Amino acid sequence: INFFCGIDDKTTVHEVGMCGAAFDDVHDSTNSTLCGLKIGASPDAIICHGNGTVEVLEVKNHCPFAWNRFPHQNSGNNRRKKKRGNNTRNLNHGKSNTNDAKLFGINDFDLECKVPAVYIPQLMMEMFCVGENVDLDEPRHKANQRTAICKSAVMIRQTATRGAIVLRLHRDEDWISEMKYFLGKFKKRYVDAGVIPPDDFFWDDDEDATRYCQFLKKTKELSESVE
């Protein structure tokens, strides 16, 4: 919070609850599958900058522990593990007794300058649901008649051993359009029909398999194109 407020003395960080967006034939006449689809998202906070723009803020505290798949084999072998390049430090403190083998170790990994692909849908949904206008019900905000436009999201990734990294992901309207398409299709095919979706739904879809693969490819590209 101090970091963002230190950039501009007019920047403020606010708590926020559920931000909603709903669709029907009027709101999105180009996609009939969206009829009746109601979605929402809740960022950790929103950042309101002095120039009127708004960013959603998401903080991820990565778990410092990793599952030790072979506790008895790795017990007491910290030196050999280090030579093999394993970054998971055993919590055994050098004990060789296999009865004391630990099931977890410290996951000491370097933070990459990217948003993991699994979080792209969350951040895009948050940007979409916050929308273009944010009314904080503040006299100063209303007096300035500022139009708050949410076109980016900030993610802070933190670890117990390697500090934190601050990343910015820009809004992608084409990706959001595809997201809405597949959400609507999922609702129509499985939710409305009361059908349990199979594993890897859409992957081998006769109608949209290629389109879905391109959607996943774009998701991966976005995860690596951050500031």
Side-chain angles (χ1 to χ4, degrees), residues 88-134:
T88 301
R89 299 205 301 270
N90 195 288
L91 294 180
N92 226 11
H93 302 299
K95 296 179 181 179
S96 59
N97 187 346
T98 57
N99 292 328
D100 296 327
K102 301 299 182 180
L103 297 180
F104 295 94
I106 296 296
N107 191 14
D108 188 21
F109 64 94
D110 290 325
L111 279 170
E112 297 179 285
C113 187
K114 70 177 184 179
V115 172
V118 68
Y119 296 130
I120 295 297
Q122 179 184 9
L123 295 180
M124 287 292 181
M125 180 68 79
E126 289 175 355
M127 284 186 274
F128 177 65
C129 289
V130 167
E132 294 187 349
N133 296 290
V134 176

Side-chain angles (χ1 to χ4, degrees), residues 164-216:
I165 187 170
V166 181
L167 305 168
R168 173 176 284 118
L169 173 70
H170 290 280
R171 180 169 176 158
D172 188 294
E173 297 298 341
D174 291 336
W175 191 96
I176 289 176
S177 178
E178 289 296 275
M179 173 190 71
K180 292 191 293 183
Y181 173 80
F182 284 110
L183 280 175
K185 188 169 185 177
F186 181 89
K187 177 181 180 295
K188 183 177 181 180
R189 179 178 294 183
Y190 301 114
V191 180
D192 294 345
V195 176
I196 297 176
D199 293 339
D200 300 324
F201 53 86
F202 296 153
W203 185 254
D204 295 320
D205 193 310
D206 293 336
E207 181 182 351
D208 283 321
T210 301
R211 183 174 179 176
Y212 187 63
C213 288
Q214 290 297 318
F215 180 59
L216 296 182

